[in-house]
Amino acid sequence: MCDACGCHAPTHGHNHQHGHDHAHDHDHQHEPRPNGNDSLIVDINRSLFAANDALARSNREHFDTDGIVVLNLISSPGSGKTTLLEHTIDRLGSEIRIGVIEGDIETERDAERIRAKGVPAVQLTTGGACHLDAAMIHRGFHQLQREPGGDQLDLLVIENVGNLVCPATFSLGEHQRIVLVSVPEGPDKPAKYPKAFTSSQVFLITKTDLLPYFDFPIEEATREALSLNPALQVMALSAKTGDGFEAWINYLRSLVKSNQERTARA
Ligand SMILES: Nc1nc2c(ncn2[C@@H]2O[C@H](COP(=O)(O)OP(=O)(O)OP(=O)(O)O)[C@@H](O)[C@H]2O)c(=O)[nH]1
Ligand SMILES: [Zn+2]
Ligand SMILES: [Zn+2]
């Protein structure tokens, strides 16, 4: 039930609006409502999703006006998003001005890990909801701008709440969505959570140092992901050993550089 995931609009677990311009597409079925108001619920969801998309477009205008590249990291819990950010800041923090918005159901822990690296970070806690939405990011972005260094960014990374379902259906206004799968999770995630892969630009396989201990055929996972979305850029890395990190860092550098060139031309 949507009620269980905190996602269903009329009984929403947190104080904001959803907004896809299409029907809710969780991998669960809605129970028929005894009072027959399913079509009303579909209509409400549709308009709420449309509202989110409108806010996401407005966020994108903010980001473009300020010349900031924005990434949205989505993955299952624990696949290595915060660790990836810590190592990215170590390698790129002196070259590119990075800011982070952390999304979690509870706790400030991830933002504290990022602040410990000397980078401005805002923690958004959803209080039960399984994803960030565009309204939260709008508030979080302005909150970040009030942090020391938060008003002068080249790159903003949003770490979404850990799950591969709802975050894939809510645009935040990001330029690039990055879906992470860690080696211990197994190679079947593209087939099981297709929306996360069809809506992303990058597929990042993490924790490759664990390949000797887990059955994760990288070619097979890559093939499945590309069959869903041939435009996906696929990278594999280990934050622990640094293997594959160079390609990730170069990808971030080139995103920021082309954004700076575009901003200079405008
Ligand atoms: N072996 C190995 N472990 C890693 C690597 N990257 C992260 N980890 C470990 O994986 C665990 C989860 O890492 P996090 O970075 O907190 O994962 P996350 O995706 O931010 O987790 P949530 O915010 O809870 O969704 C930690 O124990 C990390 O030390 C890696 O490259 N190799
Ligand atoms: Zn949800
Ligand atoms: Zn995290």
Side-chain angles (χ1 to χ4, degrees):
M1 292 285 292
C2 281
D3 294 347
C5 92
C7 231
H8 193 263
T11 52
H12 215 274
H14 50 280
N15 184 23
H16 68 268
Q17 300 203 319
H18 280 86
H20 306 227
D21 58 359
H22 50 79
H24 215 157
D25 62 354
H26 289 139
D27 57 355
H28 52 241
Q29 299 291 319
H30 290 255
E31 302 286 342
R33 303 277 157 161
N35 56 358
N37 61 0
D38 261 11
S39 68
L40 173 65
I41 288 165
V42 168
D43 283 350
I44 290 169
N45 280 335
R46 235 183 230 135
S47 66
L48 293 173
F49 294 149
N52 186 76
D53 284 348
L55 279 171
R57 283 193 294 276
S58 148
N59 287 349
R60 174 71 84 93
E61 281 171 24
H62 273 62
F63 303 146
D64 288 341
T65 304
D66 291 356
I68 305 172
V69 177
V70 180
L71 312 181
N72 178 8
L73 305 187
I74 68 171
S75 81
S76 308
S79 63
K81 300 179 291 299
T82 314
T83 308
L84 173 78
L85 285 177
E86 291 171 318
H87 287 256
T88 301
I89 293 163
D90 284 344
R91 287 163 196 248
L92 218 46
S94 58
E95 191 185 320
I96 287 175
R97 296 168 298 181
I98 304 172
V100 175
I101 296 178
E102 287 287 347
D104 271 305
I105 289 178
E106 302 287 351
T107 88
E108 280 269 333
R109 283 182 198 175
D110 281 359
E112 282 162 11
R113 285 170 63 183
I114 299 300
R115 285 188 206 112
K117 294 283 174 191
V119 157
V122 160
Q123 181 77 50
L124 301 177
T125 47
T126 63
C130 50
H131 60 277
L132 297 172
D133 65 21
M136 290 170 157
I137 291 305
H138 183 246
R139 286 194 298 273
F141 180 56
H142 288 307
Q143 199 180 325
L144 187 65
Q145 286 178 315
R146 293 193 292 273
E147 296 284 315
D151 58 343
Q152 295 280 318
L153 299 177
D154 303 309
L155 178 68
L156 168 63
V157 187
I158 300 164
E159 178 181 335
N160 218 313
V161 180
N163 96 64
L164 280 172
V165 185
C166 295
T169 61
F170 286 84
S171 173
L172 306 178
E174 73 269 25
H175 296 95
Q176 301 260 297
R177 186 173 295 175
I178 294 158
V179 55
L180 292 79
V181 175
S182 64
V183 163
E185 292 170 62
D188 56 357
K189 296 299 166 290
K192 287 186 176 172
Y193 302 95
K195 176 93 183 181
F197 294 82
T198 55
S199 71
S200 291
Q201 283 72 42
V202 175
F203 173 23
L204 193 57
I205 299 164
T206 59
K207 309 191 190 181
T208 54
D209 57 287
L210 298 176
L211 281 169
Y213 314 104
F214 291 89
D215 190 13
F216 193 105
I218 287 193
E219 302 74 34
E220 189 185 310
T222 302
R223 201 171 42 247
E224 280 208 329
L226 289 175
S227 74
L228 292 164
N229 179 359
L232 263 184
Q233 197 171 334
V234 185
M235 288 180 249
L237 56 75
S238 162
K240 188 168 180 163
T241 64
D243 278 355
F245 236 82
E246 219 37 51
W248 165 248
I249 294 295
N250 286 335
Y251 156 77
L252 295 178
R253 271 198 192 106
S254 77
L255 276 182
V256 169
K257 185 161 176 273
S258 46
N259 194 49
Q260 285 168 344
E261 286 166 0
R262 193 172 52 236
T263 308
R265 272 199 309 274

